[in-house]
Amino acid sequence: MDNATIFAIGGIVLGLVIGFIIAKVLEKNKASKIIKEAQKNANLVIKEAKSEGENIKKDKILQAKEKFIELKAEHEKVILSRDKKMAEAEKRTRDKESQVSSELSKNKKLSQSLEDKIKDYNHRLDVLDKKQEELDRLHKSQVQQLEVISSLSAEEAKEQLVESLKGEAKNDAMAFIQNALEEAKLTAEQEAKKVIINTIQRIGTEEAVDNCVSVFNIESDDVKGRIIGREGRNIRAIEAATGVEIIVDDTPEAIILSCFDSVRREVARLSLHRLVTDGRIHPARIEEVVKKTRKQIDQEIIEVGKRTVIDLGIHNLNPELIKMVGRMKYRSSYGQNLLQHSREVAKLCGVMAAELGLNPKLAKRAGLLHDIGKVPDAEADMETPHAILGMQWAEKFGEKAEVCNAIGAHHDEIEMKSLLAPIIQVCDAISGARPGARRQVLDSYIQRLKDLEDIAFGFSGVKKAYAIQAGRELRVIVESEKVNDDKAADLSFNISQKIQTDMTYPGQVKVTVIRETRAVNIAK
């Protein structure tokens, strides 16, 4: 290798070394500049951070001061409120104390006054006792003196005086009665017969005994099947809703409705007429129609009562009494229609009162109302005699005392206080004594059926009770919430035992207890 090459290589190496040294020096200078700038920036950041920290510190101090002031103000308000409440409580306490002290002073004064009055009363009692003793002593001394003077004791003197007065009074009374009887016999019997005969001749009415069955006519026998329904559900629903036994037999174009209560029969007849006319016959529709028919019957009862009082010329009758008069259309007495009987009695009373010179309007009024006690609303009213119950209702609804007395006395339950009372009694007897007017057997039969239903109503949980099949069956409908299946069986047994012990009847009585539950919802 020659020297030039060596020198070239050495130059290159030396250049590289020098270049590396120069690069290091330049790099060091650049790093020092960067460090200085970084320190400068850091100082600026620190300065800004310090100034910002001071600002934040000042803000926080201000906020803390404001919060402290707010809390202090709230605390002062709470303290003021407590002080005010305490002051009010102290004031109320002072007022209570003053009031209690005043009450105590009043009570002391009252107690003292009461003690003074008691002492005065005791003193007066002592004085009165002494005076009474003095009077008794004086009375005894006077009686003794009189006994010495008359030579008789007080009891003997009384007996002699009473005996003398009795003898005189008896003689005077017998003489007066004898004269009155002799005078009355000459004219009274003849005049009475004349008045009664004239009255009966002027009042003529037709008599028709009420039956216990009604016949419902139908157009064809096909309707019978629709009334009976599938497996008899329709006819059972009608009987349960109305309490009437429906007899469907081979009689052409006719169905028999059997019930002792004429109101139930009329409700059943009108309901069947509506159902057959409408064509829709099912249990829900049956119940709806029966409810509407009952409302119609109630309205018809009021109309019948109004027409009756208008026909008889009776005015200013209470609406409740008018309703009772209308209900008499659906009641009977010994087979005689009660409304027809009352109308007849009213007319008889009016004529007889006019013949005797009395007020015919009052007589008609009493004659029409004399049997209103036979149409009671509640079961409890049935225990009161109908004459007394009618009198109580008449008094309640503002009728005159003469009318009330005539109603209550027409069966001699109370004393007759006016001439109107015997007129009502006589006219009632005349109306009932007409040939064919009454029938005892029917009335006793109806009473037996009512007694059957009353026995069922005497047990708790019974909603409805119907005596059907001429009293051979009693159907009892109970409330499902109060009577379960086991109690229903016990109830049937208890009712049958009660009927056996309390009633007399021919044959057997079947007691059927019906318990029905329903779940009804409406889709909207």
Side-chain angles (χ1 to χ4, degrees), residues 453-512:
E453 294 183 355
D454 292 340
I455 286 175
F457 281 118
F459 291 85
S460 61
V462 176
K463 184 178 180 182
K464 296 178 182 178
Y466 301 117
I468 61 175
Q469 292 187 4
R472 291 190 297 274
E473 182 176 356
L474 178 64
R475 290 189 181 176
V476 182
I477 300 174
V478 297
E479 299 179 16
S480 58
E481 297 85 1
K482 297 181 180 179
V483 180
N484 57 25
D485 292 338
D486 295 334
K487 289 183 178 179
D490 294 338
L491 181 63
S492 176
F493 176 76
N494 292 333
I495 292 174
S496 64
Q497 294 299 311
K498 182 77 171 174
I499 293 172
Q500 286 182 11
T501 55
D502 293 0
M503 293 188 64
T504 302
Y505 52 90
Q508 297 178 344
V509 178
K510 178 183 177 183
V511 180
T512 304

Side-chain angles (χ1 to χ4, degrees), residues 227-240:
I227 292 175
I228 294 172
R230 184 182 300 173
E231 297 178 356
R233 64 174 187 174
N234 290 345
I235 196 169
R236 287 198 301 272
I238 296 171
E239 290 180 345

Side-chain angles (χ1 to χ4, degrees), residues 83-279:
D83 293 341
K84 186 176 179 181
K85 289 181 180 178
M86 289 176 67
E88 290 176 355
E90 290 176 356
K91 183 179 178 182
R92 286 197 299 271
T93 305
R94 288 195 297 271
D95 294 339
K96 291 281 186 182
E97 289 176 353
S98 62
Q99 185 178 0
V100 170
S101 61
S102 63
E103 291 292 334
L104 286 173
S105 62
K106 287 181 181 178
N107 288 334
K108 287 180 181 179
K109 290 180 181 179
L110 290 173
S111 299
Q112 186 64 36
S113 175
L114 184 60
E115 289 177 358
D116 295 338
K117 288 181 179 179
I118 290 172
K119 289 179 181 178
D120 183 49
Y121 177 71
N122 291 330
H123 176 68
R124 289 184 180 183
L125 281 177
D126 294 336
V127 172
L128 287 174
D129 290 339
K130 290 178 181 179
K131 287 183 178 180
Q132 185 65 37
E133 291 176 359
E134 182 69 20
L135 286 173
D136 292 341
R137 186 178 60 77
L138 292 173
H139 178 70
K140 288 181 180 179
S141 64
Q142 288 178 355
V143 170
Q144 289 174 358
Q145 290 176 5
L146 289 172
E147 289 178 351
V148 171
I149 293 170
S150 62
S151 300
L152 292 172
S153 65
E155 294 297 328
E156 291 174 349
K158 285 180 184 178
E159 289 178 359
Q160 288 184 5
L161 180 61
V162 169
E163 288 297 328
S164 63
L165 291 175
K166 278 184 179 179
E168 292 178 3
K170 188 179 291 184
N171 293 332
D172 293 341
M174 289 297 294
F176 177 77
I177 290 170
Q178 188 66 28
N179 293 332
L181 285 174
E182 289 177 357
E183 183 179 355
K185 284 179 180 179
L186 297 174
T187 57
E189 187 174 353
Q190 185 177 358
E191 290 296 325
K193 287 181 179 179
K194 181 180 177 182
V195 170
I196 293 173
I197 290 171
N198 288 337
T199 303
I200 294 174
Q201 286 176 344
R202 292 169 63 180
I203 304 297
T205 58
E206 296 180 358
E207 294 297 337
V209 177
D210 284 352
N211 293 320
C212 288
V213 295
S214 297
V215 178
F216 178 71
N217 296 315
I218 55 178
E219 295 180 356
S220 63
D221 289 341
D222 295 337
V223 180
K224 290 184 179 180
R226 294 168 55 196
I227 292 175
I228 294 172
R230 184 182 300 173
E231 297 178 356
R233 64 174 187 174
N234 290 345
I235 196 169
R236 287 198 301 272
I238 296 171
E239 290 180 345
T242 61
V244 174
E245 183 184 5
I246 299 176
I247 301 172
V248 181
D249 53 14
D250 296 336
T251 306
E253 299 180 355
I255 293 175
I256 298 174
L257 309 177
S258 175
C259 181
F260 71 93
D261 192 334
S262 54
V263 177
R264 294 184 195 167
R265 289 205 313 274
E266 187 66 12
V267 169
R269 189 184 67 79
L270 293 177
S271 300
L272 275 175
H273 179 72
R274 286 187 175 182
L275 290 168
V276 171
T277 303
D278 183 46

Side-chain angles (χ1 to χ4, degrees), residues 207-210 332-338 341-342 345 370-371 374 386 410-411 427-443:
E207 294 297 337
V209 177
D210 284 352
S332 61
S333 176
Y334 298 101
Q336 185 180 23
N337 183 269
L338 195 57
H341 165 66
S342 298
V345 171
H370 81 285
D371 269 347
K374 290 186 177 180
H386 76 273
H410 79 276
H411 283 310
C427 293
D428 182 38
I430 292 172
S431 175
R434 290 178 182 273
R438 294 188 172 185
R439 192 168 64 194
Q440 181 73 30
V441 177
L442 176 64
D443 195 69

